[in-house]
Amino acid sequence: MKLIENRRNHKYLSVASLWEITVKINIGKLFATRDLKEMYNLIRDLKIRIIDIKQEHLHTYLALPLIHKNPFDRLIIAQASTEELSLITDDQHQKLSYFNT
């Protein structure tokens, strides 16, 4: 948690996370107290950078072993790997071998 709270560290959020949130809201699996506009404003205010999907991310995605099958999580892993970013998660299914440190 200290890494996230440290204002000197750059923070990134995959557009895949926002896409997954939107899908889950839409199908009723998630209730959000903020609408999308408010979420984007909060992300901006917290100076979190959104990572869009690039061709290189998809190449990395295809090369990932099929240990983790959630497509959103796999894309986030591929983005972090491609961009050489540390990935912080509380997902107990993630494998540390995917993380950059």
Side-chain angles (χ1 to χ4, degrees):
M1 207 53 166
K2 290 183 181 189
L3 289 173
I4 294 173
E5 293 170 356
N6 185 334
R7 294 180 189 266
R8 288 180 278 176
N9 290 331
H10 296 288
K11 290 136 193 107
Y12 300 87
L13 177 68
S14 172
V15 70
S17 295
L18 297 168
W19 182 15
E20 185 174 20
I21 289 167
T22 303
V23 167
K24 287 185 177 185
I25 291 170
N26 189 249
I27 63 175
K29 286 185 89 178
L30 178 67
F31 174 77
T33 58
R34 299 173 193 257
D35 64 25
L36 285 176
K37 184 177 180 180
E38 290 175 307
M39 284 187 227
Y40 270 93
N41 287 339
L42 180 60
I43 291 164
R44 182 198 64 229
D45 293 346
L46 293 172
K47 297 182 179 17
I48 297 172
R49 300 170 188 184
I50 296 175
I51 301 175
D52 290 322
I53 301 169
K54 299 178 188 173
Q55 180 179 352
E56 297 82 9
H57 301 152
L58 300 178
H59 288 289
T60 303
Y61 183 101
L62 287 172
L64 289 175
L66 288 173
I67 295 170
H68 199 299
K69 295 183 181 174
N70 179 299
F72 296 107
D73 292 348
R74 288 177 55 78
L75 181 55
I76 293 165
I77 292 165
Q79 288 177 307
S81 177
T82 302
E83 302 296 330
E84 298 183 358
L85 298 170
S86 295
L87 179 59
I88 299 173
T89 180
D90 67 352
D91 186 341
Q92 296 173 3
H93 301 297
Q94 298 287 2
K95 301 294 182 194
L96 290 177
S97 60
Y98 293 138
F99 300 164
N100 295 315
T101 53

XYZ file of all heavy atoms in Angstrom:
847
model
N 0.817 -1.189 0.000
C 0.000 0.000 0.000
C 0.862 1.254 0.000
O 0.464 2.256 -0.546
C -0.928 -0.067 1.209
C -2.188 0.668 1.071
S -3.097 0.237 -0.407
C -4.620 0.946 -0.019
N 2.038 1.184 0.598
C 2.892 2.365 0.665
C 3.336 2.810 -0.721
O 3.524 4.001 -0.950
C 4.084 2.098 1.573
C 3.692 1.987 3.028
C 4.884 1.807 3.909
C 4.397 1.675 5.346
N 5.472 1.692 6.309
N 3.504 1.863 -1.656
C 3.871 2.229 -3.020
C 2.790 3.088 -3.663
O 3.077 4.056 -4.356
C 4.105 0.976 -3.870
C 5.351 0.165 -3.565
C 5.341 -1.129 -4.365
C 6.602 0.969 -3.875
N 1.555 2.727 -3.434
C 0.440 3.478 -4.011
C 0.304 4.843 -3.350
O 0.042 5.842 -4.002
C -0.876 2.680 -3.880
C -0.803 1.423 -4.745
C -2.077 3.531 -4.272
C -1.965 0.481 -4.561
N 0.503 4.892 -2.055
C 0.332 6.146 -1.318
C 1.467 7.136 -1.541
O 1.286 8.339 -1.349
C 0.196 5.839 0.173
C -1.083 5.087 0.500
C -1.124 4.571 1.919
O -0.130 4.725 2.663
O -2.154 3.992 2.289
N 2.624 6.659 -1.957
C 3.773 7.531 -2.172
C 3.510 8.415 -3.394
O 3.416 7.944 -4.521
C 5.039 6.694 -2.376
C 6.288 7.545 -2.479
O 6.250 8.706 -2.869
N 7.404 6.951 -2.129
N 3.398 9.711 -3.174
C 3.072 10.656 -4.248
C 4.165 10.760 -5.309
O 3.913 11.220 -6.412
C 2.789 12.037 -3.660
C 1.540 12.070 -2.800
C 1.311 13.467 -2.233
N 0.257 13.488 -1.261
C -1.010 13.777 -1.559
N -1.341 14.065 -2.785
N -1.918 13.764 -0.609
N 5.374 10.336 -4.985
C 6.470 10.393 -5.957
C 6.385 9.282 -7.000
O 6.998 9.391 -8.057
C 7.821 10.343 -5.246
C 8.119 11.659 -4.508
C 9.435 11.589 -3.831
N 9.188 10.894 -2.570
C 10.099 10.552 -1.702
N 11.357 10.796 -1.944
N 9.779 9.951 -0.580
N 5.637 8.232 -6.696
C 5.489 7.129 -7.644
C 4.409 7.453 -8.670
O 3.340 7.943 -8.320
C 5.120 5.833 -6.912
C 6.263 5.301 -6.088
O 7.431 5.503 -6.411
N 5.937 4.618 -5.010
N 4.707 7.168 -9.931
C 3.696 7.304 -10.980
C 2.725 6.142 -10.853
O 3.123 5.022 -10.574
C 4.343 7.281 -12.364
C 5.256 8.434 -12.617
N 4.797 9.715 -12.820
C 6.599 8.502 -12.682
C 5.821 10.521 -13.005
N 6.937 9.807 -12.924
N 1.459 6.435 -11.052
C 0.430 5.411 -10.977
C -0.273 5.305 -12.326
O -0.532 6.315 -12.978
C -0.575 5.729 -9.870
C 0.023 5.568 -8.488
C -0.377 6.736 -7.617
C 0.427 6.787 -6.350
N 1.400 7.847 -6.357
N -0.554 4.069 -12.722
C -1.172 3.794 -14.006
C -2.390 2.911 -13.800
O -2.441 2.110 -12.867
C -0.188 3.071 -14.929
C 1.060 3.863 -15.215
C 2.156 3.785 -14.366
C 1.141 4.684 -16.326
C 3.310 4.511 -14.611
C 2.293 5.418 -16.584
C 3.371 5.324 -15.723
O 4.509 6.050 -15.966
N -3.349 3.044 -14.685
C -4.552 2.223 -14.663
C -4.831 1.796 -16.093
O -4.877 2.628 -16.998
C -5.725 3.028 -14.107
C -7.079 2.338 -14.068
C -7.069 1.191 -13.045
C -8.168 3.333 -13.722
N -5.015 0.517 -16.284
C -5.315 0.013 -17.618
C -6.750 0.357 -17.999
O -7.667 0.249 -17.186
C -5.130 -1.505 -17.662
O -5.600 -2.012 -18.897
N -6.921 0.732 -19.243
C -8.272 0.953 -19.750
C -9.069 -0.348 -19.643
O -10.299 -0.314 -19.522
C -8.241 1.512 -21.196
C -7.772 0.462 -22.189
C -9.580 2.090 -21.587
N -8.380 -1.487 -19.605
C -9.052 -2.775 -19.426
C -9.781 -2.838 -18.085
O -10.855 -3.449 -17.985
C -8.051 -3.926 -19.539
N -9.219 -2.213 -17.060
C -9.889 -2.178 -15.757
C -11.183 -1.386 -15.841
O -12.216 -1.791 -15.295
C -8.971 -1.560 -14.700
O -7.847 -2.369 -14.486
N -11.142 -0.266 -16.527
C -12.346 0.560 -16.694
C -13.376 -0.162 -17.554
O -14.582 -0.085 -17.296
C -11.971 1.908 -17.293
C -11.058 2.750 -16.403
C -10.497 3.929 -17.172
C -11.795 3.208 -15.159
N -12.894 -0.885 -18.553
C -13.777 -1.661 -19.419
C -14.463 -2.766 -18.608
O -15.678 -2.961 -18.696
C -12.950 -2.227 -20.552
C -13.669 -3.031 -21.594
C -15.019 -3.093 -21.822
C -13.065 -3.888 -22.551
N -15.272 -3.947 -22.869
C -14.092 -4.441 -23.341
C -11.754 -4.229 -22.832
C -13.850 -5.332 -24.379
C -11.504 -5.112 -23.866
C -12.538 -5.652 -24.627
N -13.692 -3.467 -17.784
C -14.259 -4.535 -16.962
C -15.280 -3.981 -15.967
O -16.351 -4.571 -15.765
C -13.158 -5.289 -16.227
C -13.672 -6.482 -15.439
C -12.582 -7.320 -14.815
O -11.442 -6.818 -14.638
O -12.864 -8.486 -14.495
N -14.976 -2.855 -15.357
C -15.925 -2.217 -14.433
C -17.220 -1.879 -15.165
O -18.320 -2.147 -14.675
C -15.302 -0.949 -13.799
C -14.205 -1.342 -12.807
C -16.379 -0.075 -13.139
C -13.323 -0.178 -12.366
N -17.098 -1.311 -16.352
C -18.266 -0.936 -17.149
C -19.107 -2.153 -17.507
O -20.341 -2.125 -17.397
C -17.816 -0.199 -18.431
O -17.026 0.938 -18.062
C -19.001 0.257 -19.261
N -18.456 -3.230 -17.922
C -19.165 -4.465 -18.265
C -19.911 -4.995 -17.050
O -21.094 -5.345 -17.132
C -18.184 -5.523 -18.821
C -18.838 -6.900 -18.886
C -17.652 -5.120 -20.189
N -19.237 -5.039 -15.901
C -19.865 -5.591 -14.693
C -21.019 -4.725 -14.200
O -22.022 -5.248 -13.713
C -18.818 -5.806 -13.610
C -17.923 -6.992 -13.931
C -16.952 -7.304 -12.829
C -16.154 -8.551 -13.207
N -15.273 -8.982 -12.147
N -20.901 -3.414 -14.327
C -22.023 -2.527 -13.983
C -23.198 -2.819 -14.915
O -24.340 -2.960 -14.493
C -21.618 -1.041 -14.047
C -20.640 -0.698 -12.914
C -22.850 -0.138 -14.004
C -20.004 0.684 -13.050
N -22.895 -2.939 -16.199
C -23.914 -3.136 -17.216
C -24.692 -4.430 -17.038
O -25.899 -4.470 -17.279
C -23.264 -3.078 -18.599
C -24.273 -3.057 -19.710
O -24.383 -4.025 -20.453
N -24.996 -1.968 -19.849
N -24.034 -5.495 -16.587
C -24.724 -6.779 -16.432
C -25.222 -7.010 -15.007
O -25.751 -8.067 -14.685
C -23.843 -7.961 -16.895
C -22.581 -8.098 -16.041
C -23.509 -7.831 -18.372
C -21.736 -9.320 -16.367
N -25.025 -6.008 -14.142
C -25.553 -6.093 -12.784
C -24.683 -6.855 -11.794
O -25.142 -7.175 -10.702
N -23.430 -7.116 -12.135
C -22.536 -7.821 -11.214
C -21.778 -6.860 -10.301
O -21.090 -7.305 -9.391
C -21.520 -8.668 -11.993
C -22.117 -9.923 -12.601
C -21.069 -10.775 -13.238
C -20.521 -11.726 -12.187
N -19.511 -12.642 -12.752
N -21.904 -5.558 -10.567
C -21.194 -4.564 -9.772
C -22.073 -3.334 -9.636
O -22.680 -2.873 -10.602
C -19.865 -4.194 -10.455
C -18.998 -3.137 -9.784
C -18.455 -3.643 -8.449
C -17.840 -2.747 -10.701
N -22.131 -2.807 -8.425
C -22.828 -1.554 -8.183
C -21.776 -0.503 -7.879
O -20.918 -0.706 -7.020
C -23.800 -1.674 -7.002
C -24.422 -0.366 -6.625
C -25.444 0.171 -7.385
C -23.966 0.343 -5.530
C -26.014 1.398 -7.060
C -24.527 1.571 -5.189
C -25.550 2.083 -5.966
N -21.793 0.602 -8.589
C -20.822 1.678 -8.390
C -21.523 2.886 -7.789
O -22.640 3.230 -8.181
C -20.163 2.049 -9.716
N -20.851 3.514 -6.842
C -21.407 4.712 -6.226
C -21.106 5.963 -7.046
O -21.624 7.030 -6.748
C -20.855 4.895 -4.797
O -19.423 4.982 -4.860
C -21.265 3.729 -3.912
N -20.266 5.818 -8.054
C -19.938 6.936 -8.947
C -20.241 6.528 -10.378
O -20.076 5.375 -10.741
C -18.448 7.280 -8.854
C -17.988 7.705 -7.484
C -16.467 7.857 -7.469
N -15.967 7.970 -6.123
C -15.589 9.103 -5.559
N -15.653 10.219 -6.225
N -15.142 9.114 -4.326
N -20.628 7.505 -11.197
C -20.811 7.188 -12.608
C -19.455 7.285 -13.310
O -18.448 7.675 -12.703
C -21.875 8.084 -13.253
C -21.508 9.563 -13.295
O -20.307 9.905 -13.280
O -22.439 10.388 -13.352
N -19.414 6.924 -14.572
C -18.144 6.880 -15.300
C -17.452 8.241 -15.365
O -16.238 8.330 -15.230
C -18.352 6.336 -16.713
C -18.572 4.840 -16.816
C -18.875 4.444 -18.253
C -17.369 4.076 -16.297
N -18.239 9.290 -15.554
C -17.649 10.629 -15.609
C -16.949 10.952 -14.290
O -15.830 11.472 -14.281
C -18.709 11.677 -15.935
C -18.145 13.071 -16.093
C -19.213 14.062 -16.490
C -18.595 15.434 -16.628
N -19.582 16.438 -17.008
N -17.594 10.634 -13.172
C -16.991 10.880 -11.856
C -15.731 10.034 -11.667
O -14.748 10.501 -11.094
C -17.989 10.569 -10.741
C -19.132 11.554 -10.648
C -20.158 11.136 -9.612
O -20.649 9.991 -9.681
O -20.454 11.958 -8.730
N -15.764 8.779 -12.152
C -14.577 7.916 -12.044
C -13.404 8.527 -12.809
O -12.287 8.587 -12.308
C -14.882 6.508 -12.577
C -15.693 5.660 -11.638
S -15.806 3.977 -12.291
C -17.541 3.670 -12.095
N -13.672 8.969 -14.031
C -12.600 9.574 -14.826
C -12.087 10.857 -14.176
O -10.882 11.124 -14.193
C -13.080 9.841 -16.258
C -12.840 8.674 -17.182
C -13.824 7.714 -17.382
C -11.634 8.529 -17.855
C -13.611 6.637 -18.231
C -11.412 7.466 -18.701
C -12.399 6.525 -18.885
O -12.179 5.457 -19.721
N -12.979 11.653 -13.607
C -12.547 12.873 -12.914
C -11.665 12.538 -11.714
O -10.656 13.203 -11.474
C -13.751 13.703 -12.473
C -14.443 14.388 -13.634
O -13.855 14.587 -14.692
N -15.706 14.714 -13.442
N -12.029 11.510 -10.968
C -11.228 11.084 -9.824
C -9.856 10.583 -10.278
O -8.833 10.941 -9.686
C -11.963 9.997 -9.035
C -11.249 9.461 -7.801
C -10.989 10.573 -6.782
C -12.070 8.347 -7.160
N -9.834 9.801 -11.333
C -8.563 9.303 -11.880
C -7.681 10.482 -12.273
O -6.487 10.512 -11.975
C -8.830 8.364 -13.074
C -9.470 7.062 -12.576
C -7.563 8.095 -13.868
C -10.114 6.233 -13.675
N -8.270 11.464 -12.931
C -7.522 12.666 -13.331
C -7.026 13.425 -12.110
O -5.852 13.799 -12.035
C -8.400 13.575 -14.191
C -7.657 14.822 -14.691
C -8.582 15.925 -15.160
N -9.369 16.400 -14.019
C -10.683 16.556 -14.022
N -11.406 16.280 -15.089
N -11.314 16.983 -12.940
N -7.893 13.625 -11.134
C -7.527 14.382 -9.938
C -6.411 13.704 -9.152
O -5.587 14.376 -8.534
C -8.747 14.593 -9.035
C -9.794 15.504 -9.665
O -9.485 16.184 -10.668
O -10.934 15.511 -9.151
N -6.392 12.377 -9.175
C -5.348 11.628 -8.469
C -4.079 11.461 -9.306
O -3.131 10.812 -8.882
C -5.881 10.249 -8.054
C -6.985 10.272 -7.003
C -7.574 8.872 -6.815
C -6.467 10.826 -5.671
N -4.100 12.055 -10.502
C -2.951 12.016 -11.418
C -2.552 10.590 -11.794
O -1.383 10.249 -11.897
C -1.772 12.789 -10.838
C -2.061 14.273 -10.646
C -0.872 15.017 -10.115
C -1.053 16.484 -9.923
N -2.297 17.108 -9.865
N -3.570 9.767 -11.985
C -3.357 8.395 -12.440
C -3.411 8.407 -13.961
O -4.333 8.972 -14.550
C -4.428 7.446 -11.857
C -4.318 7.417 -10.333
C -4.295 6.054 -12.456
C -5.441 6.667 -9.640
N -2.435 7.784 -14.582
C -2.361 7.748 -16.039
C -3.067 6.499 -16.557
O -2.823 5.404 -16.072
C -0.902 7.735 -16.482
C -0.152 8.956 -16.003
C 1.317 8.821 -16.237
N 2.019 9.923 -15.584
C 3.317 10.113 -15.674
N 4.068 9.293 -16.372
N 3.879 11.139 -15.064
N -3.913 6.672 -17.545
C -4.627 5.548 -18.139
C -3.789 4.988 -19.282
O -3.314 5.727 -20.143
C -6.020 5.967 -18.638
C -6.883 6.407 -17.455
C -6.683 4.832 -19.412
C -8.240 6.947 -17.832
N -3.606 3.670 -19.260
C -2.849 2.995 -20.323
C -3.851 2.451 -21.332
O -4.679 1.593 -21.007
C -1.997 1.838 -19.765
C -1.011 2.337 -18.725
C -1.273 1.120 -20.904
C -0.221 1.242 -18.053
N -3.794 2.959 -22.548
C -4.636 2.448 -23.625
C -4.038 1.146 -24.155
O -2.884 0.816 -23.886
C -4.743 3.480 -24.750
C -5.568 4.695 -24.329
O -6.574 4.508 -23.612
O -5.207 5.813 -24.718
N -4.817 0.426 -24.948
C -4.354 -0.832 -25.517
C -3.552 -0.539 -26.784
O -4.042 0.136 -27.691
C -5.543 -1.757 -25.835
C -6.343 -2.032 -24.563
C -5.061 -3.054 -26.474
C -7.669 -2.712 -24.815
N -2.326 -1.061 -26.824
C -1.444 -0.884 -27.984
C -1.186 -2.238 -28.633
O -1.339 -3.287 -28.002
C -0.099 -0.297 -27.537
C -0.193 1.067 -26.888
C 1.192 1.499 -26.462
C 1.140 2.761 -25.622
N 2.466 3.088 -25.069
N -0.752 -2.191 -29.872
C -0.438 -3.416 -30.606
C 0.574 -4.278 -29.855
O 0.423 -5.497 -29.779
C 0.107 -3.057 -31.986
C 0.458 -4.256 -32.837
C 0.962 -3.856 -34.206
O 0.921 -2.692 -34.590
N 1.441 -4.824 -34.955
N 1.578 -3.647 -29.249
C 2.608 -4.388 -28.520
C 2.013 -5.160 -27.340
O 2.459 -6.246 -27.003
C 3.708 -3.442 -28.013
C 4.471 -2.739 -29.109
C 3.769 -1.490 -29.652
O 2.750 -1.036 -29.071
O 4.234 -0.980 -30.679
N 1.008 -4.573 -26.696
C 0.352 -5.245 -25.577
C -0.317 -6.541 -26.043
O -0.283 -7.553 -25.337
C -0.706 -4.341 -24.930
C -0.165 -3.054 -24.411
N -0.936 -1.921 -24.329
C 1.069 -2.705 -23.958
C -0.202 -0.926 -23.844
N 1.016 -1.387 -23.615
N -0.912 -6.492 -27.235
C -1.598 -7.671 -27.759
C -0.607 -8.768 -28.137
O -0.897 -9.958 -27.956
C -2.479 -7.278 -28.941
C -3.572 -6.255 -28.609
C -4.365 -5.901 -29.856
C -4.477 -6.737 -27.497
N 0.558 -8.386 -28.637
C 1.599 -9.388 -28.928
C 2.044 -10.076 -27.638
O 2.202 -11.295 -27.602
C 2.800 -8.742 -29.632
C 2.520 -8.359 -31.044
N 2.367 -9.284 -32.054
C 2.360 -7.147 -31.615
C 2.121 -8.659 -33.194
N 2.105 -7.361 -32.955
N 2.233 -9.292 -26.581
C 2.620 -9.864 -25.289
C 1.502 -10.746 -24.746
O 1.750 -11.835 -24.222
C 2.960 -8.751 -24.272
O 3.998 -7.928 -24.817
C 3.407 -9.326 -22.946
N 0.261 -10.299 -24.909
C -0.915 -11.065 -24.476
C -0.895 -12.467 -25.085
O -1.107 -13.469 -24.397
C -2.176 -10.302 -24.891
C -3.492 -10.914 -24.468
C -4.174 -10.407 -23.375
C -4.073 -11.959 -25.177
C -5.400 -10.939 -22.980
C -5.285 -12.495 -24.785
C -5.947 -11.980 -23.690
O -7.151 -12.510 -23.302
N -0.634 -12.529 -26.393
C -0.623 -13.820 -27.087
C 0.486 -14.743 -26.584
O 0.354 -15.968 -26.640
C -0.456 -13.605 -28.595
C -1.679 -13.057 -29.322
C -1.324 -12.717 -30.764
C -2.828 -14.053 -29.265
N 1.567 -14.156 -26.080
C 2.709 -14.954 -25.623
C 2.564 -15.426 -24.176
O 3.341 -16.285 -23.735
C 3.999 -14.137 -25.781
N 1.599 -14.900 -23.449
C 1.434 -15.291 -22.042
C 0.960 -16.736 -21.940
O 0.096 -17.162 -22.708
C 0.401 -14.398 -21.344
C 0.787 -12.953 -21.069
C -0.414 -12.204 -20.477
C 1.968 -12.876 -20.129
N 1.492 -17.476 -20.972
C 0.955 -18.827 -20.745
C -0.491 -18.735 -20.247
O -0.889 -17.724 -19.675
C 1.877 -19.402 -19.671
C 2.559 -18.235 -19.050
C 2.563 -17.132 -20.058
N -1.262 -19.763 -20.469
C -2.684 -19.737 -20.110
C -2.938 -20.123 -18.652
O -3.937 -20.773 -18.344
C -3.476 -20.662 -21.043
C -3.624 -20.140 -22.462
C -4.267 -21.190 -23.358
C -4.454 -18.864 -22.485
N -2.077 -19.690 -17.764
C -2.260 -19.960 -16.345
C -3.460 -19.173 -15.823
O -4.265 -19.675 -15.067
C -0.975 -19.612 -15.547
C 0.148 -20.541 -15.982
C -1.219 -19.685 -14.055
C 1.518 -20.155 -15.465
N -3.573 -17.943 -16.231
C -4.665 -17.068 -15.798
C -5.542 -16.828 -17.021
O -5.062 -16.334 -18.033
C -4.092 -15.756 -15.266
C -5.058 -14.991 -14.405
N -6.254 -14.536 -14.872
C -4.998 -14.614 -13.113
C -6.899 -13.898 -13.913
N -6.152 -13.945 -12.834
N -6.824 -17.157 -16.962
C -7.670 -17.111 -18.153
C -8.589 -15.903 -18.246
O -9.237 -15.707 -19.264
C -8.475 -18.402 -18.254
C -7.557 -19.597 -18.475
C -8.315 -20.865 -18.654
C -7.298 -22.001 -18.836
N -7.907 -23.301 -18.890
N -8.658 -15.065 -17.206
C -9.499 -13.870 -17.279
C -8.902 -12.919 -18.310
O -7.768 -12.461 -18.162
C -9.569 -13.203 -15.900
C -10.412 -11.950 -15.921
O -10.112 -10.998 -16.635
N -11.453 -11.931 -15.122
N -9.638 -12.604 -19.387
C -9.066 -11.779 -20.459
C -8.668 -10.368 -20.017
O -7.677 -9.822 -20.508
C -10.158 -11.747 -21.525
C -11.408 -12.129 -20.813
C -11.008 -12.997 -19.657
N -9.421 -9.785 -19.098
C -9.076 -8.446 -18.617
C -7.765 -8.497 -17.827
O -6.875 -7.670 -18.032
C -10.204 -7.872 -17.748
C -11.487 -7.653 -18.488
C -12.573 -8.490 -18.278
C -11.622 -6.613 -19.390
C -13.770 -8.289 -18.946
C -12.812 -6.400 -20.066
C -13.895 -7.250 -19.853
N -7.664 -9.472 -16.935
C -6.443 -9.600 -16.134
C -5.237 -9.909 -17.012
O -4.148 -9.381 -16.801
C -6.602 -10.691 -15.075
C -7.605 -10.319 -13.990
O -8.005 -9.135 -13.935
O -7.981 -11.208 -13.213
N -5.433 -10.750 -18.006
C -4.323 -11.094 -18.915
C -3.844 -9.844 -19.665
O -2.656 -9.652 -19.858
C -4.754 -12.183 -19.890
C -4.902 -13.554 -19.226
C -5.395 -14.609 -20.199
N -4.567 -14.734 -21.390
C -3.399 -15.361 -21.440
N -2.903 -15.918 -20.372
N -2.728 -15.423 -22.576
N -4.784 -9.002 -20.074
C -4.401 -7.772 -20.776
C -3.627 -6.848 -19.841
O -2.621 -6.255 -20.233
C -5.622 -7.069 -21.356
C -5.328 -5.781 -22.127
C -4.316 -6.010 -23.246
C -6.612 -5.211 -22.681
N -4.067 -6.741 -18.610
C -3.368 -5.900 -17.632
C -1.960 -6.432 -17.395
O -0.989 -5.660 -17.335
C -4.173 -5.812 -16.323
C -5.481 -5.049 -16.567
C -3.360 -5.167 -15.210
C -6.508 -5.210 -15.474
N -1.825 -7.746 -17.285
C -0.501 -8.365 -17.121
C 0.366 -8.067 -18.343
O 1.539 -7.690 -18.214
C -0.637 -9.885 -16.898
C -1.277 -10.164 -15.547
C 0.719 -10.578 -17.019
C -1.774 -11.591 -15.372
N -0.198 -8.210 -19.530
C 0.550 -7.946 -20.764
C 0.984 -6.485 -20.844
O 2.112 -6.181 -21.245
C -0.303 -8.314 -21.979
N 0.110 -5.580 -20.453
C 0.460 -4.157 -20.480
C 1.591 -3.859 -19.499
O 2.541 -3.154 -19.849
C -0.761 -3.296 -20.165
C -1.771 -3.270 -21.283
C -2.992 -2.475 -20.918
O -3.613 -2.702 -19.882
N -3.356 -1.531 -21.788
N 1.475 -4.369 -18.295
C 2.525 -4.121 -17.297
C 3.856 -4.677 -17.769
O 4.891 -4.022 -17.637
C 2.130 -4.742 -15.957
N 3.822 -5.862 -18.337
C 5.056 -6.479 -18.827
C 5.655 -5.673 -19.978
O 6.851 -5.363 -19.966
C 4.771 -7.909 -19.280
O 5.915 -8.504 -19.807
N 4.832 -5.316 -20.940
C 5.308 -4.563 -22.108
C 5.865 -3.200 -21.719
O 6.901 -2.777 -22.224
C 4.164 -4.379 -23.124
O 3.671 -5.663 -23.503
C 4.629 -3.616 -24.349
N 5.185 -2.529 -20.808
C 5.581 -1.182 -20.398
C 6.633 -1.197 -19.284
O 7.054 -0.133 -18.831
C 4.356 -0.383 -19.943
C 3.262 -0.241 -20.989
C 3.700 0.546 -22.209
O 4.570 1.441 -22.076
O 3.173 0.263 -23.306
N 7.011 -2.409 -18.845
C 7.990 -2.575 -17.767
C 7.561 -1.840 -16.499
O 8.317 -1.100 -15.887
C 9.389 -2.153 -18.221
C 9.911 -2.999 -19.372
C 11.316 -2.643 -19.798
O 11.918 -1.705 -19.249
O 11.814 -3.336 -20.709
N 6.310 -2.078 -16.119
C 5.727 -1.482 -14.923
C 5.520 -2.558 -13.866
O 5.281 -3.728 -14.195
C 4.372 -0.843 -15.249
C 4.387 0.293 -16.257
C 2.960 0.663 -16.652
C 5.122 1.492 -15.692
N 5.583 -2.176 -12.615
C 5.237 -3.096 -11.532
C 3.729 -3.213 -11.481
O 3.007 -2.236 -11.656
C 5.764 -2.575 -10.198
O 7.160 -2.545 -10.192
N 3.269 -4.422 -11.238
C 1.839 -4.677 -11.158
C 1.479 -4.979 -9.717
O 2.024 -5.895 -9.113
C 1.465 -5.862 -12.058
C 0.018 -6.293 -12.083
C -0.881 -5.143 -12.547
C -0.143 -7.489 -12.996
N 0.570 -4.179 -9.184
C 0.114 -4.377 -7.805
C -1.315 -4.880 -7.877
O -2.163 -4.283 -8.538
C 0.180 -3.057 -7.005
C 1.623 -2.559 -6.943
C -0.395 -3.255 -5.617
C 1.764 -1.184 -6.326
N -1.573 -5.996 -7.209
C -2.902 -6.595 -7.243
C -3.200 -7.283 -5.924
O -2.283 -7.666 -5.203
C -3.011 -7.623 -8.395
O -4.319 -8.182 -8.394
C -1.979 -8.727 -8.274
N -4.482 -7.436 -5.643
C -4.859 -8.265 -4.500
C -5.511 -9.552 -5.000
O -6.069 -10.315 -4.235
C -5.767 -7.525 -3.522
C -7.141 -7.211 -4.089
O -7.364 -7.434 -5.292
O -8.002 -6.747 -3.340
N -5.403 -9.793 -6.307
C -5.920 -11.017 -6.915
C -5.027 -12.183 -6.514
O -3.869 -12.245 -6.902
C -5.966 -10.874 -8.434
C -6.621 -12.055 -9.126
O -6.721 -13.140 -8.516
O -7.023 -11.891 -10.284
N -5.557 -13.102 -5.755
C -4.767 -14.216 -5.243
C -4.418 -15.226 -6.328
O -3.588 -16.096 -6.119
C -5.519 -14.902 -4.104
C -5.706 -13.983 -2.922
C -6.585 -14.595 -1.855
O -7.020 -15.718 -1.960
N -6.839 -13.824 -0.810
N -5.012 -15.090 -7.522
C -4.724 -16.010 -8.611
C -3.552 -15.552 -9.480
O -3.090 -16.296 -10.315
C -5.964 -16.216 -9.492
C -7.131 -16.745 -8.728
N -7.123 -17.965 -8.107
C -8.343 -16.212 -8.467
C -8.280 -18.171 -7.512
N -9.040 -17.110 -7.715
N -3.119 -14.310 -9.294
C -2.002 -13.792 -10.082
C -0.734 -14.550 -9.728
O -0.530 -14.944 -8.603
C -1.799 -12.297 -9.836
C -2.950 -11.440 -10.236
C -3.110 -11.284 -11.727
O -2.376 -11.848 -12.519
N -4.100 -10.525 -12.129
N 0.129 -14.721 -10.687
C 1.407 -15.380 -10.481
C 2.512 -14.326 -10.447
O 2.597 -13.488 -11.344
C 1.687 -16.380 -11.617
C 0.629 -17.457 -11.734
C 0.629 -18.359 -10.522
C -0.398 -19.450 -10.688
N -0.672 -20.136 -9.468
N 3.340 -14.377 -9.431
C 4.395 -13.382 -9.287
C 5.354 -13.382 -10.459
O 6.011 -12.380 -10.724
C 5.149 -13.617 -7.980
C 4.363 -13.295 -6.719
C 5.190 -13.637 -5.474
C 3.943 -11.846 -6.666
N 5.463 -14.464 -11.187
C 6.393 -14.506 -12.308
C 6.000 -13.520 -13.418
O 6.795 -13.196 -14.270
C 6.466 -15.909 -12.883
O 5.193 -16.332 -13.342
N 4.771 -13.036 -13.384
C 4.326 -12.045 -14.365
C 4.752 -10.632 -14.013
O 4.668 -9.743 -14.820
C 2.804 -12.038 -14.494
C 2.198 -13.268 -15.076
C 1.056 -13.800 -14.529
C 2.737 -13.879 -16.202
C 0.459 -14.927 -15.078
C 2.153 -14.990 -16.749
C 1.015 -15.512 -16.186
O 0.427 -16.615 -16.722
N 5.144 -10.422 -12.783
C 5.358 -9.066 -12.301
C 6.758 -8.583 -12.592
O 7.729 -9.308 -12.497
C 5.132 -8.975 -10.790
C 3.752 -9.363 -10.350
C 3.497 -9.639 -9.037
C 2.709 -9.479 -11.236
C 2.234 -10.006 -8.605
C 1.427 -9.850 -10.832
C 1.209 -10.111 -9.509
N 6.855 -7.307 -12.897
C 8.153 -6.626 -12.952
C 8.355 -5.951 -11.615
O 7.417 -5.429 -11.046
C 8.154 -5.553 -14.057
C 8.022 -6.160 -15.418
O 8.689 -7.138 -15.720
N 7.165 -5.605 -16.238
N 9.557 -5.949 -11.113
C 9.814 -5.285 -9.833
C 10.915 -4.276 -9.986
O 11.688 -4.306 -10.903
C 10.205 -6.312 -8.756
O 11.294 -7.095 -9.251
C 9.031 -7.192 -8.399
